[in-house]
């Protein structure tokens, strides 16, 4: 396959969330490229620290079953910088999370909204599917190679976890996901298939995590314009997250000060019955010429529609029920950011300084 021809050393970089889909996509694409290009050296990279794997138990559970070792060198953080002028392939994102990589990106494989970068690359696959692993699995299928059991296992697991085993209520499954699910299931034994079905339960067992861990576990930068904002997904309802024995305002404030002092959005979810909720805490002071993040966020939700306010769970916080549970973060986050920035650009009122607020 011409577009998969690489030489030398290639780094395959997953996204900022460093979730199962991102990790599997990086490791499986690395295996495919080495199988197609003798002499090529690849290094799949997960953003973060190796200790962060305890935040996502489904990742070590799957990789241990597949007997794939995740080492320190597979993590990209401030202490493990990339070499100068690297060859990088982005998987599970198409806009670099890390500044300064723009000239090093040689290929992109992603299932999120197309941000319009790297349009001249020979290998640029950006298509809406429930899982990025679906797109990587299609490359395996098109390669003509026999897909090893290990690759079938990890790719199918990523598709299953990201789509709820093709659950239509999640609103994420595409026809491509369905077809690749059947393709990957072929030749996997019942034990493997049973393990894959258990991964969702393993992923949801987060009783060992505290509030800070939950916020860090699936956090992404959301910064619109000059505001510093972030969005976290937690598998907890509003009532669970803000319960007195879990929620700590001081620790939440420290998390915001470090990562997103202007605005923190928390997307909540519950499995049975499946539902989504949203909470946010925002500074009430704006940049010069801008309304405050709190005011802009309220206007953003009002203009998008589909949110019903519920009683405030904690001082300074606003919470809402989502009327459409199929609006996952992958769908909702870009809509929120676009509308927020549109409101910012059309707003000339605001204060002269930006003082950070804390929960």
């Amino acid at each position: 396959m011409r577009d998969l021809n690489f030489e030398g050393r290639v780094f395959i970089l997953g996204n900022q969330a460093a979730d199962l889909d991102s990790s599997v996509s990086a490791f499986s694409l690395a295996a495919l490229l080495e199988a197609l290009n003798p002499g090529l050296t690849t290094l799949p990279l997960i953003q973060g620290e190796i200790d962060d794997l305890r935040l996502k138990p489904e990742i070590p559970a799957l990789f241990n079953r597949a007997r794939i070792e995740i080492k320190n060198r597979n993590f990209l953080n401030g202490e493990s910088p990339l070499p100068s002028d690297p060859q990088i392939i982005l998987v599970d994102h198409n806009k670099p999370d890390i500044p300064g990589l723009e000239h090093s990106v040689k290929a992109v494989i992603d299932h999120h909204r197309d941000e319009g970068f790297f349009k001249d690359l020979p290998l640029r696959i950006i298509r809406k599917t429930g899982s990025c692993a679906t797109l990587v699995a299609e490359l395996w299928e098109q390669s003509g190679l026999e897909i090893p059991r290990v690759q079938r296992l990890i790719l199918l697991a990523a598709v299953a976890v990201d789509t709820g085993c093709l659950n239509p209520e999640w609103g994420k499954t595409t026809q491509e996901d369905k077809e690749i699910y059947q393709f990957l299931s072929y030749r996997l034994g019942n034990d493997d298939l049973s393990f894959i079905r258990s991964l969702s339960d393993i992923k949801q067992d987060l009783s060992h995590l505290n509030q800070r861990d939950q916020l860090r576990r699936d956090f992404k930068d959301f910064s619109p314009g000059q505001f510093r904002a972030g969005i976290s997904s937690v598998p907890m309802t509003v009532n669970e997250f803000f319960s007195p024995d879990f929620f700590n305002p001081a620790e939440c404030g420290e998390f915001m000060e470090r990562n997103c002092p202007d605005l923190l959005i928390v997307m909540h979810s519950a499995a049975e019955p499946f539902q989504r909720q949203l909470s946010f805490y925002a500074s009430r002071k704006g940049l010069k010429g801008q309304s405050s993040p709190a005011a802009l966020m309220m206007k953003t939700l009002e203009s998008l529609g589909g949110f019903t306010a519920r009683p405030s769970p904690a001082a300074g916080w606003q919470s809402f029920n989502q009327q459409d549970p199929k609006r996952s973060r992958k769908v909702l986050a870009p809509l929120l950011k676009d509308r927020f920035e549109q409101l910012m650009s059309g707003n000339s009122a605001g204060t002269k300084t930006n003082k950070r607020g804390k929960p």
Side-chain angles (χ1 to χ4, degrees):
M1 300 176 64
R2 179 179 58 83
D3 291 342
L4 294 178
N5 291 336
F6 290 90
E7 297 178 348
R9 191 180 191 194
V10 175
F11 298 86
I12 305 175
L13 181 61
N15 66 23
Q16 187 182 41
D19 58 7
L20 183 71
D21 188 31
S22 180
S23 303
V24 164
S25 296
F27 274 80
S28 188
L29 182 62
L32 174 60
L33 292 181
E34 289 194 355
L36 289 172
N37 301 281
L40 179 69
T41 300
T42 63
L43 183 62
L45 291 171
I46 300 171
Q47 293 194 48
E49 311 282 344
I50 194 168
D51 290 343
D52 289 345
L53 287 179
R54 70 182 184 84
L55 307 179
K56 301 159 186 177
E58 68 277 12
I59 297 178
L62 174 62
F63 279 64
N64 287 341
R65 184 173 183 88
R67 296 185 180 180
I68 298 174
E69 185 178 2
I70 305 178
K71 302 178 181 179
N72 270 306
R73 64 189 180 92
N74 293 117
F75 288 83
L76 182 64
N77 51 61
E79 297 180 358
S80 57
L82 290 164
S84 59
D85 196 26
Q87 294 187 90
I88 295 174
I89 299 176
L90 301 182
V91 293
D92 209 13
H93 63 308
N94 62 82
K95 177 183 178 181
D97 296 323
I98 302 171
L101 297 185
E102 291 79 8
H103 298 295
S104 300
V105 174
K106 307 303 179 185
V108 175
I109 300 173
D110 183 36
H111 69 136
H112 295 90
R113 184 183 67 165
D114 191 340
E115 299 280 356
F117 292 83
F118 315 117
K119 289 191 173 182
D120 295 330
L121 294 177
L123 178 60
R124 185 181 187 272
I125 302 172
I126 303 175
R127 197 161 63 248
K128 182 181 177 182
T129 53
S131 171
C132 185
T134 292
L135 302 178
V136 177
E138 288 180 345
L139 290 176
W140 272 101
E141 183 181 23
Q142 295 161 10
S143 72
L145 299 174
E146 176 62 32
I147 304 182
R149 173 238 166 208
V150 164
Q151 298 304 320
R152 288 182 180 271
L153 172 66
I154 65 173
L155 288 166
L156 182 61
V159 176
V161 168
D162 258 22
T163 64
C165 292
L166 309 182
N167 186 342
E169 292 184 2
W170 286 30
K172 298 176 68 175
T173 304
T174 66
Q175 184 60 34
E176 287 177 271
D177 297 310
K178 294 177 183 178
E179 293 174 358
I180 214 67
Y181 196 97
Q182 295 301 317
F183 172 72
L184 293 171
S185 299
Y186 177 63
R187 292 189 181 178
L188 281 181
N190 289 332
D191 287 348
D192 282 337
L193 296 175
S194 177
F195 169 78
I196 288 171
R197 288 191 291 270
S198 75
L199 269 181
S200 291
D201 291 334
I202 294 173
K203 179 180 180 180
Q204 296 296 326
D205 184 9
L206 302 174
S207 56
H208 60 294
L209 302 185
N210 60 26
Q211 173 190 258
R212 180 174 176 272
D213 291 336
Q214 285 280 13
L215 291 172
R216 287 177 56 226
R217 179 179 175 273
D218 196 1
F219 176 84
K220 280 191 175 181
D221 178 79
F222 177 74
S223 298
Q226 293 174 282
F227 289 123
R228 288 182 59 197
I231 183 168
S232 291
S233 296
V234 300
M236 306 174 72
T237 64
V238 168
N239 289 340
E240 291 169 340
F241 184 81
F242 290 99
S243 63
D245 59 348
F246 185 80
F247 181 68
N248 184 315
E251 289 184 358
C252 192
E254 291 173 2
F255 179 87
M256 282 191 65
E257 191 66 33
R258 186 179 304 110
N259 299 285
C260 50
D262 291 311
L263 169 65
L264 173 61
I265 301 169
V266 178
M267 292 192 66
H268 308 267
S269 63
E272 295 182 3
F274 184 67
Q275 59 179 304
R276 295 188 189 276
Q277 300 164 319
L278 182 146
S279 299
F280 77 85
Y281 186 98
S283 169
R284 299 186 181 280
K285 299 293 184 180
L287 298 169
K288 183 178 180 180
Q290 295 291 346
S291 292
S292 70
L296 287 167
M297 187 63 192
M298 284 297 296
K299 291 178 181 177
T300 295
L301 295 179
E302 290 171 1
S303 63
L304 285 178
F307 297 93
T308 305
R310 49 181 294 142
S312 179
W317 284 85
Q318 301 292 329
S319 287
F320 305 82
N321 292 324
Q322 280 190 221
Q323 296 173 9
D324 182 2
K326 294 181 180 180
R327 269 183 167 182
S328 65
R329 183 177 65 179
K330 184 172 63 177
V331 174
L332 186 59
L335 295 177
L336 288 172
K337 188 171 183 179
D338 284 352
R339 190 60 54 87
F340 195 103
E341 291 178 341
Q342 288 170 10
L343 291 169
M344 283 178 64
S345 64
N347 191 306
S348 59
T351 58
K352 294 183 178 180
T353 59
N354 180 26
K355 297 180 180 179
R356 311 304 193 188
K358 290 185 180 181

